[in-house]
Amino acid sequence: MARRLLIAGNWKLHKTVEEAVALAGDIAAGLMRDDLDVLVIPGFLSLEPVALSLSASPVLVGGQNLFWEDQGAYTGEVSGPMLKACKAEQVIIAHSERRLYFNETEKTAAKRVQAALKAGLTPLLCVGETLGEREADQTDGVLESQLAGGLAGLKPAQAEKLIIAYEPVWAIGTGQTATEEQANRAHAFIRAWLGACFGKQVANQCRILYGGSVKPENAAGLMRQKEIDGALVGGASLQAESFLGIIEAA
Ligand code: 13P
């Protein structure tokens, strides 16, 4: 069975509620394809207003992070049930910016993956090497330890619900996209790892997205690669025109 493409926009720390709802509306109005999935991932405050504004549209809504406890004395955190109640269906876990600026680790990634599944959310686990790691030929090892760490304790029945995003850190926000070949190779490595760990069926089913300076101009070439099942877009998802351009090109 062919995997359905998923084009996701991670809005990071951008857009007020009003701006986010306007952007979501423009994306929904301009969406001309129904042969792929489209997901927008606004900041927490905009999640429910955006989800409500998209209720008549096929565009999906997700969260950028979650905490692993459902509730309690954890000031400033947001839980899986809270996201679910705001109509989020997916949640990003362990984005490299979370790893870099907020000290997230493989251990906390695993807790978040479990919490997401428990809440009925699809975990979108991010993995990817830094430039130094690539240059030192450590890419496979880094991917392997991020996958093994973040997916620790998962059963195959849980793993088939996962989405993995390969986001080489050196390509994020730099304009320096991985080549089609580099990206496809990393995706193939990730799929092989999933196969060895959870079985061939799970590996064939899991969508692996590429993220890192995806633009309308490079989307077609990347999305044509056998192992690439979609894109996790940052900067170019902040304007309807460029995000829709990526969707059209995919
Ligand atoms: P850019 O598309 O801005 O490089 O960001 C990618 C990303 O981090 C998506 O999560």
Side-chain angles (χ1 to χ4, degrees):
M1 201 182 70
R3 294 178 294 269
R4 199 171 150 91
L5 275 182
L6 168 62
I7 307 296
N10 174 10
W11 296 354
K12 306 189 181 181
L13 186 58
H14 294 282
K15 309 284 176 192
T16 62
V17 174
E18 199 180 329
E19 290 164 349
V21 170
L23 174 57
D26 290 344
I27 291 168
L31 181 61
M32 297 298 164
R33 291 184 65 172
D34 59 7
D35 59 333
L36 46 68
D37 293 329
V38 176
L39 167 67
V40 294
I41 311 172
F44 289 138
L45 293 177
S46 306
L47 200 55
E48 189 163 42
V50 165
L52 291 174
S53 78
L54 291 173
S55 59
S57 146
V59 177
L60 305 165
V61 177
Q64 294 182 14
N65 186 24
L66 85 168
F67 189 58
W68 49 84
E69 295 294 342
D70 288 352
Q71 56 185 359
Y74 305 103
T75 303
E77 293 299 319
V78 169
S79 72
M82 289 174 179
L83 291 178
K84 192 75 186 170
C86 287
K87 303 177 177 47
E89 294 185 47
Q90 279 82 11
V91 60
I92 295 178
I93 292 172
H95 190 281
S96 61
E97 288 149 15
R98 301 290 321 169
R99 297 179 191 261
L100 181 64
Y101 303 127
F102 303 97
N103 302 320
E104 292 197 9
T105 62
E106 315 310 353
K107 248 196 170 123
T108 60
K111 287 179 168 195
R112 290 177 213 275
V113 167
Q114 295 285 353
L117 290 168
K118 184 172 152 229
L121 295 159
T122 301
L124 206 164
L125 178 70
C126 298
V127 297
E129 79 288 358
T130 62
L131 185 59
E133 288 162 346
R134 173 162 285 268
E135 285 174 351
D137 211 12
Q138 291 169 345
T139 300
D140 291 356
V142 168
L143 295 179
E144 183 162 25
S145 72
Q146 290 175 339
L147 290 165
L151 304 179
L154 230 59
K155 299 185 183 69
Q158 295 176 299
E160 68 187 27
K161 301 194 178 84
L162 287 173
I163 301 172
I164 306 290
Y166 170 60
E167 297 207 315
V169 178
W170 49 272
I172 296 178
T174 59
Q176 197 191 340
T177 320
T179 65
E180 294 160 13
E181 197 177 44
Q182 282 172 327
N184 195 59
R185 196 200 157 277
H187 283 225
F189 178 85
I190 292 167
R191 203 176 303 286
W193 188 92
L194 291 170
C197 201
F198 300 113
K200 233 187 158 111
Q201 199 194 323
V202 169
N204 283 336
Q205 215 166 309
C206 274
R207 287 188 286 191
I208 307 177
L209 313 184
Y210 168 77
S213 299
V214 177
K215 305 178 228 60
E217 305 79 60
N218 59 28
L222 286 162
M223 296 308 117
R224 253 199 324 267
Q225 302 306 306
K226 183 169 168 273
E227 301 296 342
I228 300 184
D229 308 315
L232 182 55
V233 187
S237 72
L238 298 174
Q239 274 93 36
E241 196 187 346
S242 44
F243 191 55
L244 289 166
I246 291 170
I247 293 167
E248 282 306 309

